Structures are given as structure tokens and as C-alpha cells.
Amino acid sequence: MTSPTYQVTNPATGDVVETFDGATDADIEAALTATHEAYASWKDVPIAERAEVVKKVAALFAERADDLAAIASEEMGKPVSEGVEEAEFCQAIFDYFATEGPSLAADQPIKSITGGKAVVQKLPVGPLLGIMPWNFPYYQIARFAAPNLMLGNTIILKHAESVPRSALAVEQIMKDAGVPTGAYVNVFASHEQIETIIGDPRIQGVSLTGSERAGAIVASLAGKNLKKCVLELGGSDPMIVLDTDDLDDVVGNAWDFRMYNTGQACNSNKRMIVMDELFDDFVGKLTEKALAIEPGSFSPLSSRKAAETLAEQVDEAVSKGATLHAGGVLSDGPDAHYSPAVLSGITKDMRAYGEELFGPVAVVYKVGSDDEALALANDTTYGLGGSVFSTDPARAEKIAQRLEVGMANVNSTAGEGAEIPFGGVKRSGFGRELGPLGMDEFVNKRMFFIAD
């Protein structure tokens, strides 16, 4: 398997800005040794003291938000304002676990009916491997690192090859906040080295956020080595619009959420399912928004390859009869710009029906009943999130309760916050991050019993 190249390629220009050396096998062994040795002491640090360190991590994310945003903008094209928001969200995540972690990790008494005293303890399990994606280069790390550092686990972090500066910036934050040497180690590892890390007996689990293909490979390696894994993979989330008394507001929410991060969010509303009486006006208003975007004012996708893949999916759909209402223009290159698009008329024989469109394309489906909307929403191999909008909350809730997803929302595109668990079902993966469940994955739920 070919080793990846860690380099910064500005997607706005296609220029290679900086290239980094990959880890040697000796570097990987040193990382494994360091994180194993750090675990021996970090796990015994009182959780209140670990919380003080995690709190400092939170403060540094806020303090360095502008710098972090600039790095992400150059590495993967994220709008600077959204990069600042991402860093601030990281602050909230680390603050949440620093504050709530001690109670979330507290012993849970069991009401005994046989005598004696029984509790479930939540203890760390050991060194972990995190494999993170480029689309939210800081937030994805925060979801994984914050609860596990609080628990007393230690971390080896393998980031995406396209965001090495982001990876190093986070590692520096950890060092400056006082995370002990070895408790958080960044590695520019190859695919073969990832396999080595997962197979090493010192590593006790692996968390991956990424593609379905990568998830299948990592899950296979984890299973082969009897290691627990958490996977957050792709999504093709439905947004069902049953009725509304403010179409402009619903369309605005739909467009803003779909275009956030240039359409490159796992839980974006990639399939807008709209009742037939609203469909034409809904599509018309989306089209107006797409056409109103000035050429060159929209951020690029993360890479030229990503833009070309999206263009292929849309072009294939149009060639088979789908309607492209606006946008969908790929730049000549080598930059990664793709104009925001509105697409309808998708049928099952098109790639766009079953594949995730990871970019700024609003796909709209027309349905004639609640049952048809629900059936279409669930007709996917993915199961990350979904939403239902209606002026009748009970009607919307009835459908939302039947969505085959890990996160269901009523009259909101997504419930988001440090305290809100994130994760999916079906081929969107398994396990949860954030909220109380975020401290419930890589933990030894040890039963502790004392007889009378």
C-alpha cells in the first residue's frame, strides 16, 4: 500500500504550500512507548486535576481561534469565520467535559437484592488511536480527545494527510496546556503504520471519523486484534418538509445548513424531501439563493479531487434526466471551486440517489404523503441524522420517531452542542461522541462488589 504524503495544498489555488516527512517506523515505536508510559501515570492523576489541564486546553482553543482558522482556510478551504466558530466549539467541548466529566465518570451504585454493596466504576482502558478527517480538523479531534483525556486514557492521533498544520497546532495546544508528554502524540503515519498501531497490544481501542471505506478497513483491523472501535462515517441525511407558514425561513435554514463548510459535513441535509404543494416554490427559492452567489465568492472544496468527484456525480445524474436548476460548474483547475447547485429529479438509477454528495449541492425530492416521505427518508444505507419540519409538532414528531438514524430532529436541522451525543446507525457507523455518551465508549465499566 502506498504511503500517503502529508502536505498543505491550498484548494483555492491548487498550489502546494508545504510538505512534511512521514513518520518512520522508529517514530511509531517511540509514540507507542511514550503513550503507554504516560498512561501509567496519567490514569492515576485525580480526575479533578485532569480537569484543570483539560480546562486549559479549552482556553487555548479560544485564545488561538484566529490562528487556527487561518490554518484551516489554507489547508482545506474553510471560510475563516467558520474556522473561528469551529475553534470556539472546541473550547465548549473541552469546557463541557472538564466541568461535567467528574460526575459523568462517578461510580454508579447498583441497588442490590442479594446483599452486599455493588457499584459500576468507570475507569480508563489505556492508550487509544484516533484517526481523524480533514473537514473539521479541530472539532473532530475535540470530540474524541476531550472525554478520553478526562477519563485518564492517552492518545495517539493520526490526522488526515491534507491538514498537517492543523494536526501540529492541536498537538502544540496540548503541550502548552500541560497535557503530559506522551499523553497526546501526533503521528504522520502511513496506512501500514496504522495497521501496526492497531495491532500493538499497548493500544486498547481506535476511533475513526471518515469514509465508509476507511471505516470498514479499520473495523476489520480492530476486530482482528480484538480492539474496540468507534466509527463515525458518512451520511445522506434527510430533511423532510411537511408544511410551513414561513417558507422563506425553512428554505433559509435548509440552504445555510447544506452550504455550511462548503457542503462538507457528515450530518448535512443532503436530501431535502418536500411535499408536492411546496415543492416548486421551495426549489425556486433555493435556486434564487444559488444564483445570487457571486462567482468566486464561494469557498473551494477541500481538494481538486473532491470537486471533480462531486461534478461527476451531478453530471451523471443530469445525463440520466435529473434537473440542474442552478450552479454545478466546476472550475478549470487546478483550484477546487465548484459553484453551489440545486438538483432535483433524482431517481434510483443515478449515483446521486445512493451515494453521499459531499459538497455544495442541494438535492430536492418531491413526495405526496407523510408515508412516502418517511419511506424515502429511510431508503438509504446511511443512518446518521435527519429532521422533520411542520407547523404541527405532533405530526413532525410522529415521523421523526420512525427515522432510522442516530440523531432525529423536529423543526431543527440538527440539535448540536457539547452536551448533545453525535453518531449514527447502519453504514454511518456505531458508537457515540459528545455529551454523556461521549465518556461511555472507551471505558472499563468495572463491577465492584463488597460482600456484607
Side-chain angles (χ1 to χ4, degrees):
M1 191 179 297
T2 303
S3 297
T5 299
Y6 285 80
Q7 67 181 26
V8 178
T9 302
N10 188 334
T13 63
D15 295 334
V16 175
V17 179
E18 186 176 7
T19 301
F20 294 79
D21 292 334
T24 64
D25 290 345
D27 292 333
I28 298 301
E29 175 57 32
L32 286 163
T33 299
T35 196
H36 179 67
E37 292 178 350
Y39 174 66
S41 56
W42 182 240
K43 67 182 175 65
D44 291 330
V45 173
I47 194 167
E49 294 181 22
R50 293 199 295 263
E52 292 177 3
V53 175
V54 172
K55 197 82 172 175
K56 291 177 182 176
V57 173
L60 287 177
F61 267 103
E63 181 182 310
R64 300 177 186 179
D66 290 339
D67 293 338
L68 295 171
I71 292 171
S73 178
E74 185 170 40
E75 286 192 314
M76 50 73 62
K78 188 185 295 288
V80 170
S81 62
E82 293 182 13
V84 171
E85 290 175 0
E86 182 177 346
E88 291 172 346
F89 196 9
C90 292
Q91 176 196 15
I93 291 168
F94 280 97
D95 270 338
Y96 170 81
F97 284 107
T99 302
E100 301 297 330
S103 61
L104 293 174
D107 292 352
Q108 296 179 340
I110 297 173
K111 183 178 180 180
S112 177
I113 59 174
T114 57
K117 176 184 177 182
V119 299
V120 174
Q121 299 173 317
K122 292 188 176 181
L123 307 177
V125 294
L128 306 172
L129 171 64
I131 304 173
M132 297 296 128
W134 48 262
N135 61 329
F136 290 94
Y138 309 120
Y139 159 68
Q140 302 284 4
I141 293 177
R143 296 192 325 194
F144 167 62
N148 284 301
L149 288 174
M150 278 299 300
L151 282 165
N153 294 322
T154 54
I155 292 167
I156 293 178
L157 199 292
K158 186 274 175 198
H159 218 322
E161 293 85 5
S162 60
V163 290
R165 286 180 176 173
S166 294
L168 293 174
V170 174
E171 185 180 45
Q172 191 63 50
I173 283 175
M174 297 295 180
K175 290 179 180 178
D176 293 346
V179 175
T181 300
Y184 182 97
V185 182
N186 179 78
V187 293
F188 290 151
S190 68
H191 298 140
E192 292 87 351
Q193 290 168 337
I194 292 171
E195 184 171 356
T196 297
I197 295 170
I198 295 174
D200 192 284
R202 289 167 287 189
I203 293 295
Q204 299 303 308
V206 55
S207 178
L208 175 139
T209 298
S211 69
E212 188 178 342
R213 177 178 175 275
I217 293 171
V218 166
S220 177
L221 291 171
K224 174 183 175 182
N225 291 283
L226 298 179
K227 307 287 177 71
K228 178 171 182 176
C229 66
V230 168
L231 303 178
E232 195 269 282
L233 309 178
S236 189
D237 292 11
M239 174 185 177
I240 299 173
V241 182
L242 302 175
D243 62 75
T244 178
D245 55 10
D246 190 343
L247 187 60
D248 287 336
D249 182 62
V250 174
V251 169
N253 285 334
W255 180 258
D256 290 346
F257 193 52
R258 185 65 188 99
M259 295 299 130
Y260 193 77
N261 204 37
T262 321
Q264 300 166 121
C266 296
N267 65 328
S268 179
N269 51 334
K270 299 186 180 78
R271 294 179 298 140
M272 303 176 195
I273 300 170
V274 181
M275 283 295 176
D276 48 12
E277 64 267 22
L278 297 175
F279 180 84
D280 288 341
D281 289 340
F282 191 96
V283 171
K285 289 181 179 294
L286 283 178
T287 301
E288 289 175 4
K289 288 184 175 294
L291 293 174
I293 295 175
E294 294 291 333
S297 66
F298 202 71
S299 297
L301 274 74
S302 64
S303 67
R304 180 67 188 181
K305 181 179 179 181
E308 290 174 348
T309 297
L310 184 65
E312 289 170 3
Q313 292 170 306
V314 173
D315 292 348
E316 188 261 2
V318 172
S319 72
K320 291 185 176 181
T323 300
L324 182 62
H325 300 269
V329 177
L330 176 66
S331 68
D332 293 334
D335 61 285
H337 288 92
Y338 185 84
S339 60
V342 179
L343 191 65
S344 69
I346 299 296
T347 55
K348 288 188 176 184
D349 63 328
M350 302 172 186
R351 289 175 59 190
Y353 187 89
E355 296 180 4
E356 179 179 25
L357 300 186
F358 212 59
V361 180
V363 178
V364 192
Y365 292 84
K366 181 194 296 186
V367 292
S369 69
D370 291 16
D371 287 342
E372 185 182 359
L374 178 65
L376 177 57
N378 287 337
D379 188 22
T380 175
T381 59
Y382 295 107
L384 192 54
S387 60
V388 186
F389 285 75
S390 174
T391 55
D392 181 352
R395 180 187 178 194
E397 184 176 343
K398 182 179 179 181
I399 294 179
Q401 290 281 11
R402 298 172 66 191
L403 291 175
E404 297 169 355
V405 297
M407 303 173 288
N409 305 274
V410 172
N411 289 331
S412 171
T413 49
E416 293 183 316
E419 76 283 7
I420 304 294
F422 190 103
V425 295
K426 300 199 285 189
R427 297 189 75 84
S428 288
F430 44 78
R432 294 294 181 268
E433 295 179 304
L434 297 180
L437 302 186
M439 285 191 71
D440 226 22
E441 293 291 349
F442 296 104
V443 60
N444 175 11
K445 300 168 188 173
R446 186 173 72 178
M447 187 282 298
F448 196 79
F449 179 78
I450 303 174
D452 287 335

